[in-house]
Short mmCIF file of all heavy atoms in Angstrom, two decimals:
data_model
loop_
_atom_site.label_atom_id
_atom_site.label_comp_id
_atom_site.label_asym_id
_atom_site.label_seq_id
_atom_site.Cartn_x
_atom_site.Cartn_y
_atom_site.Cartn_z
N PRO A 66 16.52 -12.91 0.62
CA PRO A 66 17.17 -13.12 -0.67
C PRO A 66 17.51 -14.74 -0.94
O PRO A 66 17.73 -15.22 -1.97
CB PRO A 66 18.45 -12.34 -0.60
CG PRO A 66 18.50 -11.73 0.70
CD PRO A 66 17.26 -12.09 1.49
N GLU A 67 17.41 -15.46 0.17
CA GLU A 67 17.75 -16.80 0.15
C GLU A 67 16.53 -17.71 -0.08
O GLU A 67 16.61 -18.95 -0.40
CB GLU A 67 18.43 -17.37 1.41
CG GLU A 67 19.86 -16.75 1.61
CD GLU A 67 20.30 -17.05 3.01
OE1 GLU A 67 19.93 -18.03 3.64
OE2 GLU A 67 21.07 -16.12 3.55
N ALA A 68 15.34 -17.14 -0.15
CA ALA A 68 14.11 -17.78 -0.26
C ALA A 68 14.00 -18.32 -1.71
O ALA A 68 13.42 -19.34 -2.03
CB ALA A 68 12.89 -17.01 0.12
N ARG A 69 14.34 -17.49 -2.76
CA ARG A 69 14.31 -17.81 -4.06
C ARG A 69 15.50 -17.30 -4.81
O ARG A 69 16.13 -16.38 -4.45
CB ARG A 69 13.02 -17.25 -4.75
CG ARG A 69 12.90 -15.83 -4.64
CD ARG A 69 11.51 -15.34 -5.10
NE ARG A 69 10.55 -15.35 -4.04
CZ ARG A 69 9.24 -15.16 -4.21
NH1 ARG A 69 8.78 -14.84 -5.37
NH2 ARG A 69 8.39 -15.13 -3.22
N SER A 70 15.89 -17.98 -5.83
CA SER A 70 17.06 -17.53 -6.52
C SER A 70 16.78 -17.16 -7.92
O SER A 70 15.81 -17.43 -8.46
CB SER A 70 18.05 -18.71 -6.52
OG SER A 70 17.47 -19.85 -7.13
#
Side-chain angles (χ1 to χ4, degrees):
E67 289 168 31
R69 57 188 88 185
S70 53

